[in-house]
Amino acid sequence: MGPWPQRDDLYLSDCSVPFLSTHLSLHVCDRTDLQTMSSLTSTSHLQLAAFALGTIGWILCTISMGLVEWRVWHVDNTTVISSGIAWVGIWKVCFISYLHVSSGYKEQFCHKFSGYDSFIPHEIYVAQGLLLIAMVMGLLGLTATVFALRNIYMGISHKTLITHFFLLGGFFYIFAGLCVLVPVSWNFYSIAHNQSIAFPPSYYMPSSPTAQEVGAAIPIGIIAVILLLLSGTFSLSYRFPITTNTVLKS
């Protein structure tokens, strides 16, 4: 019978070495699993950051979509729009009015847009569709990243599965970011050029404001774009580690 294998050899051996005792084999397997998981987690810090940034970006995208403050209109006629300020969002338009309200009180009136309103400009229709797509794409990106990170932190060294889900998550993040970028940029352009909207009389809104400015929804959307694009870049940059102790599954 030959000499007993050296300790260093045992740690580099596969878990299924036939001549090792059961106790010794389990010790080697445990050491190998720990080294594999350590190697996987040490190369996934950017992807963990991608998940955090993607989560914040997705939340900000959802907030931006729900806010009415996309465009802030300043109007001269304060008979109905008492504050002289109206907010034009992608789903509705709102303003403060003291009309038909007791003295000292104010009420916010809102008119929701419908799919049959022909006066709504193209950038608002585009924003409605793209932001809904961005919300779904961002959620899919988060799901793919969570699945990949779960495999890593559970020590499941399945190269194809982990790599593909990070790539998939990165694609969803970037696509979501671009879907937010288009309506944010387009509406910012419309505000910068003080473009008008031909509201019908029932909206009590002038066809054009004396001035308009960027509302809170657009900077929030810009931050969401930056975070989603960074998240996608980090996810796509993942490289599976190759070590002597990792048994690859493809």
Side-chain angles (χ1 to χ4, degrees):
M1 183 174 180
W4 191 263
Q6 296 296 317
R7 190 177 184 84
D8 291 337
D9 295 331
L10 291 178
Y11 289 144
L12 293 175
S13 301
D14 190 86
C15 294
S16 58
V17 177
F19 58 82
L20 293 178
S21 65
T22 303
H23 174 75
L24 208 52
S25 297
L26 290 174
H27 180 71
V28 174
C29 290
D30 291 342
R31 178 63 180 266
T32 302
D33 290 342
L34 287 174
Q35 289 178 340
T36 299
M37 188 164 68
S38 176
S39 177
L40 287 172
T41 55
S42 65
T43 58
S44 62
H45 296 318
L46 273 180
Q47 287 65 45
L48 190 59
F51 172 71
L53 294 177
T55 301
I56 298 172
W58 181 78
I59 292 172
L60 292 179
C61 167
T62 307
I63 292 173
S64 177
M65 181 176 63
L67 287 176
V68 71
E69 295 90 353
W70 278 72
R71 307 183 189 188
V72 180
W73 278 28
H74 296 270
V75 300
D76 285 333
N77 189 351
T78 57
T79 304
V80 178
I81 306 175
S82 304
S83 63
I85 295 176
W87 300 277
V88 181
I90 62 173
W91 305 105
K92 59 186 177 180
V93 57
C94 297
F95 55 83
I96 300 294
S97 178
Y98 301 112
L99 197 65
H100 305 306
V101 181
S102 300
S103 178
Y105 292 90
K106 61 183 180 181
E107 185 174 355
Q108 185 178 48
F109 290 90
C110 293
H111 294 275
K112 292 184 179 180
F113 300 140
S114 71
Y116 304 101
D117 291 333
S118 59
F119 66 88
I120 298 177
H122 296 301
E123 61 267 27
I124 289 181
Y125 273 130
V126 169
Q128 291 175 351
L130 287 182
L131 285 175
L132 286 173
I133 294 173
M135 189 175 65
V136 175
M137 292 295 105
L139 190 59
L140 290 175
L142 290 174
T143 304
T145 307
V146 166
F147 188 80
L149 288 172
R150 170 190 171 274
N151 286 344
I152 286 176
Y153 284 93
M154 291 185 67
I156 303 173
S157 54
H158 199 306
K159 177 181 178 180
T160 303
L161 196 64
I162 293 173
T163 304
H164 283 185
F165 270 94
F166 274 136
L167 291 176
L168 196 62
F171 167 77
F172 283 137
Y173 286 137
I174 290 176
F175 190 74
L178 294 176
C179 285
V180 180
L181 178 62
V182 171
V184 165
S185 302
W186 197 349
N187 278 275
F188 181 81
Y189 175 86
S190 298
I191 294 168
H193 290 77
N194 199 27
Q195 293 184 358
S196 60
I197 301 175
F199 289 105
S202 60
Y203 276 69
Y204 301 106
M205 287 283 292
S207 59
S208 61
T210 55
Q212 61 179 306
E213 60 189 37
V214 171
I218 288 183
I220 291 174
I222 291 172
I223 297 172
V225 169
I226 295 171
L227 294 180
L228 288 170
L229 293 181
L230 278 176
S231 182
T233 302
F234 290 166
S235 293
L236 293 176
S237 67
Y238 181 74
R239 295 294 179 269
F240 194 88
I242 303 297
T243 66
T244 55
N245 291 324
T246 304
V247 181
L248 300 180
K249 299 177 183 179
S250 57

